[in-house]
């Protein structure tokens, strides 16, 4: 009986660890990390791939890459940046913009981007949202509510 209890407890502990590793919030934050890793490297084509289809309706891939390159590298003279991501907040029924259906679940992360460029040091702050697309993949959205 004693070995059975040890095996059962070890199994429950392992299941708990695996559950934490693959929790929705952890996966969502990983997408934000990946997105900003690409952005800070100037790899805007790969960051675009992580945008939710609603975002891709707003920006074609080529327009997104051109805009990000033009603004951040061209105007600000920043070739790379560092970033911090605050802890996430789970939201239910969040909408990206008026007229859209709400998402069942989304995670909100406050991201700060820190640049050094031709105009000195500066930072941008933005709330970033992550929710699942129709295929169940977690993807990035921004808030367009007035």
């Amino acid at each position: 009986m004693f070995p059975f209890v040890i095996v059962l407890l070890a199994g429950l502990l392992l299941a708990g660890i695996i559950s934490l590793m693959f929790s929705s919030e952890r996966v969502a934050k990983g997408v934000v990390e990946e997105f900003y890793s690409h952005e800070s490297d100037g790899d805007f084509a790969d960051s675009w791939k992580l945008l939710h289809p609603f975002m891709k309706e707003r920006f074609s891939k080529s327009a997104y890459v051109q805009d990000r390159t033009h603004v951040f590298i061209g105007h600000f003279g920043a070739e790379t940046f560092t970033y911090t991501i605050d802890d996430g907040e789970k939201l239910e029924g969040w909408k990206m913009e008026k007229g859209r259906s709400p998402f069942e679940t989304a995670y909100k992360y406050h991201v700060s981007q820190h640049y050094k460029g031709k105009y000195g040091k500066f930072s941008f702050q933005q709330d970033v949202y992550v929710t699942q697309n129709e295929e169940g993949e977690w993807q990035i959205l921004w808030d367009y509510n007035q």
Side-chain angles (χ1 to χ4, degrees), residues 60-124:
S60 70
K61 187 175 186 176
S62 62
Y64 182 84
V65 170
Q66 286 178 342
D67 284 351
R68 299 300 268 198
T69 301
H70 180 75
V71 171
F72 293 109
I73 296 172
H75 279 302
F76 296 133
E79 303 229 354
T80 188
F81 64 89
T82 59
Y83 58 91
T84 55
I85 303 169
D86 292 347
D87 290 335
E89 174 186 354
K90 184 177 182 178
L91 305 173
E92 295 179 9
W94 176 79
K95 291 182 184 184
M96 174 184 152
E97 61 191 338
K98 187 178 179 179
R100 291 266 187 201
S101 298
F103 294 101
E104 184 176 322
T105 302
Y107 291 93
K108 175 183 173 182
Y109 297 93
H110 187 78
V111 178
S112 298
Q113 300 169 58
H114 313 283
Y115 295 86
K116 280 194 239 179
K118 64 183 175 184
Y119 300 111
K121 294 180 182 179
F122 56 95
S123 297
F124 285 119

